[in-house]
Amino acid sequence: RGLVPGYFDHLRMHKKHRDMYGGRVRYTLAYESLIPYIRRLNFGDDVSLLDPGYYHADTSELIQMLQAGHHGVELEPEAWDRLVTWIDLNGPCHGTWQDVFNGDIPTGHHIRRQELAQKYSTGSYINNVVPQTRLYDETPVRVSAPVKKTQPLSKTKFKDNQPWNYEFITIDLGQGKSLRMVKVPASPPFWMAVCEVSNEQYNQFDPQHDNRHYGRRRLEDSDGKGIPLNQPQQPVMRVSWDDAMDFCEWLSKKSGLSITLPSEEQWQLACRAGSHTAFHYGGCNDDFSAYANMADKSFANLGVRKKDLHFELAGESYLAAEGVKLAERRFDDGEVVTSSVGRYQSNSLGLYDMHGNAAEWTLTDDGGEKVVKGGSFLDRPSRCAANHNISYPQWQKVYNVGFRVVINSD
């Protein structure tokens, strides 16, 4: 029968297709289960001149899980190549238009595509036919990608869950903007920014930087760019590790202090603030809505108006955002995308947004890449835990990664 698409896919489906299949799409259950684990271009996403590597395969959770040795799975080189190629092709369920629509392709778009390909391409063009390929060799060849292990929870020097006597300093950024730091009483002690670096703070260093938008979802703004990520108090994102270090160098010269990114150990110690659980407020199944901005009920609904949340098909009601499967729908932190920094309750050291909102670069190297901690607004709790690691190349401007800074001090 096929499956019911999300509300917006249902709206944009060609009438001939909708009539032939009763408003359903010919996706398989296996495809529907797998597709949430890859990052790809979706309807309404901002596609104006993207940064290099913006949709790089290593930003897909599927690749990250397999690199970490998911359930001991080891892939041969050809399997890695096929997965990456599939993601590069935007994760299609089918190989040809005929697989999607069993009949004449509506409006003859395939003919126009062939005309343009013959006119402008430098070589052969795809003629809507899957070429004959060799039989896939299923002989196990156990060549695995480098394993990225989740780090154990580190031991801290703090009393269990006891609030510390806060000691703050403020760094002047110019033009009335400042950055507040709190002393982390470790051995040796260091100062850490109370919040993630915000857009308005980063813009003192780079006035041209723009976080842009998250995918267009609201029907009343169907021609808009989407939900903004570039408000002054939202955390800066889409900055590379190199960009973050350049900010640290700029601020060091401006302030006369030795400012840098935290090491993974410093970040994790400050995040946990004396707790012995995955989060400073509790475990993975605890209600995070007062403490962190993660993938929740609000995110799952993607900002759609309440009256648009359901639609009717053949007498049945369907949820508009039913394709979003990786959010924790039991809890609602009230935000669809990033919130203003410092909105939620801090940990016992007075640090905000250590879990969720924007993921954060660290100094620590992992096989030539830089470790990122904390997860973001579109990560479910397990990916925002204190000991969860992801790493990216230092040149990559990752879509959900920002940073906070530290001052090493005795």
Side-chain angles (χ1 to χ4, degrees), residues 277-301:
T277 51
F279 300 84
H280 66 78
Y281 57 82
C284 250
N285 291 317
D286 290 331
D287 187 351
F288 56 80
S289 55
Y291 301 93
N293 176 15
M294 296 187 257
D296 65 328
K297 184 177 179 180
S298 289
F299 173 76
N301 291 336

Side-chain angles (χ1 to χ4, degrees), residues 151-167:
Q151 297 298 310
L153 295 174
S154 62
K155 295 181 180 180
T156 68
K157 304 295 183 181
F158 312 121
K159 296 179 181 179
D160 291 352
N161 298 314
Q162 292 299 310
W164 202 259
N165 293 323
Y166 300 155
E167 186 178 348

Side-chain angles (χ1 to χ4, degrees), residues 118-377:
Q118 287 179 310
K119 185 175 181 179
Y120 295 109
S121 69
T122 57
S124 60
Y125 63 92
I126 299 174
N127 193 26
N128 201 41
V129 173
V130 177
Q132 186 67 37
T133 59
R134 66 177 177 80
L135 185 65
Y136 185 71
D137 183 2
E138 296 186 3
T139 305
V141 179
R142 303 187 70 78
V143 180
S144 61
V147 173
K148 298 180 179 180
K149 296 181 179 179
T150 298
Q151 297 298 310
L153 295 174
S154 62
K155 295 181 180 180
T156 68
K157 304 295 183 181
F158 312 121
K159 296 179 181 179
D160 291 352
N161 298 314
Q162 292 299 310
W164 202 259
N165 293 323
Y166 300 155
E167 186 178 348
F168 295 107
I169 60 172
T170 300
I171 300 175
D172 181 23
L173 300 177
Q175 298 184 339
K177 306 297 186 296
S178 61
L179 192 153
R180 200 177 194 207
M181 314 283 288
V182 65
K183 192 170 187 178
V184 179
S187 176
F190 59 93
W191 298 83
M192 176 175 271
V194 167
C195 295
E196 296 159 336
V197 173
S198 68
N199 286 319
E200 69 174 6
Q201 291 169 334
Y202 190 78
N203 285 340
Q204 299 306 303
F205 161 68
D206 180 4
Q208 304 303 315
H209 181 77
D210 187 356
N211 281 0
R212 298 168 60 155
H213 297 76
Y214 189 75
R216 185 180 70 218
R217 302 295 174 185
R218 292 184 173 90
L219 292 183
E220 65 266 29
D221 190 26
S222 58
D223 291 327
K225 293 183 178 180
I227 305 173
L229 299 170
N230 51 12
Q231 298 302 308
Q233 290 298 316
Q234 287 177 292
V236 69
M237 297 190 298
R238 296 173 69 126
V239 288
S240 68
W241 185 89
D242 289 331
D243 293 334
M245 290 298 290
D246 286 345
F247 176 90
C248 292
E249 182 179 358
W250 168 80
L251 190 53
S252 294
K253 291 178 180 178
K254 186 177 184 64
S255 65
L257 300 169
S258 180
I259 295 171
T260 188
L261 295 175
S263 68
E264 178 188 357
E265 182 179 3
Q266 286 176 319
W267 189 97
Q268 189 162 297
L269 184 146
C271 174
R272 296 186 61 221
S275 66
H276 297 281
T277 51
F279 300 84
H280 66 78
Y281 57 82
C284 250
N285 291 317
D286 290 331
D287 187 351
F288 56 80
S289 55
Y291 301 93
N293 176 15
M294 296 187 257
D296 65 328
K297 184 177 179 180
S298 289
F299 173 76
N301 291 336
L302 293 172
V304 183
R305 297 176 305 182
K306 285 187 177 180
K307 71 177 184 178
D308 297 320
L309 283 178
H310 291 81
F311 67 100
E312 296 289 325
L313 177 60
E316 299 178 66
S317 178
Y318 292 93
L319 181 65
E322 62 182 355
V324 181
K325 302 186 190 321
L326 300 183
E328 177 49 87
R329 295 174 180 268
R330 291 180 300 164
F331 310 125
D332 190 347
D333 58 40
E335 292 286 354
V336 177
V337 295
T338 51
S339 65
S340 297
V341 296
R343 171 186 165 179
Y344 298 91
Q345 188 171 324
S346 72
N347 68 8
S348 62
L349 284 174
L351 296 165
Y352 297 86
D353 301 317
M354 296 300 291
H355 305 290
N357 216 26
E360 302 177 19
W361 288 109
T362 73
L363 277 179
T364 301
D365 189 88
D366 178 16
E369 298 183 342
K370 300 300 181 180
V371 172
V372 169
K373 302 290 289 184
S376 71
F377 71 95

Side-chain angles (χ1 to χ4, degrees), residues 83-97:
L83 282 175
V84 170
T85 301
W86 177 60
I87 293 171
D88 285 346
L89 293 173
N90 213 32
C93 180
H94 303 294
T96 70
W97 286 29

